Amino acid sequence: MKKKTRKLLIRKYAIILLLSILCLSYLYLGDWLFGYGVGNIRYILNYLLYTASEKTAAIILLLCLIGPDILAWKTGRQPERGAEK
């Protein structure tokens, strides 16, 4: 079960990485196509998480997203799904 769980987690994060790369390339292509330049995304990212409370909230949400997966990776089992049966 541990091997299957780890394989599913690797597949999940590989797909997330692939989609992130595709989204960023789409943004850069759109900026280049409309004449904003390649540096426009870096300029916008400076204002994405501006205050400390926004940064803290983003970190907490990221930990809530990744935390259960780290636990499943360590233990090798996923939470029970008895309610679906």
Side-chain angles (χ1 to χ4, degrees):
M1 189 67 169
K2 186 180 267 193
K3 193 178 234 184
K4 183 179 179 185
T5 303
R6 288 185 176 175
K7 185 178 177 183
L8 289 173
L9 287 173
I10 288 173
R11 185 183 303 163
K12 173 185 173 182
Y13 283 104
I15 290 171
I16 289 174
L17 182 67
L18 176 70
L19 289 175
S20 300
I21 290 170
L22 288 174
C23 289
L24 283 174
S25 62
Y26 178 73
L27 285 174
Y28 279 112
L29 177 69
D31 280 352
W32 175 73
L33 201 65
F34 294 115
Y36 291 116
V38 183
N40 189 40
I41 300 295
R42 266 185 288 141
Y43 178 75
I44 292 171
L45 287 178
N46 289 333
Y47 299 102
L48 186 61
L49 297 173
Y50 194 69
T51 63
S53 61
E54 290 174 344
K55 291 176 186 176
T56 305
I59 290 172
I60 289 172
L61 288 173
L62 187 66
L63 287 175
C64 288
L65 178 71
I66 296 176
D69 289 338
I70 292 173
L71 185 64
W73 181 272
K74 289 283 190 184
T75 61
R77 60 183 178 85
Q78 292 178 330
E80 295 292 325
R81 301 176 77 171
E84 294 180 4
K85 291 183 179 178

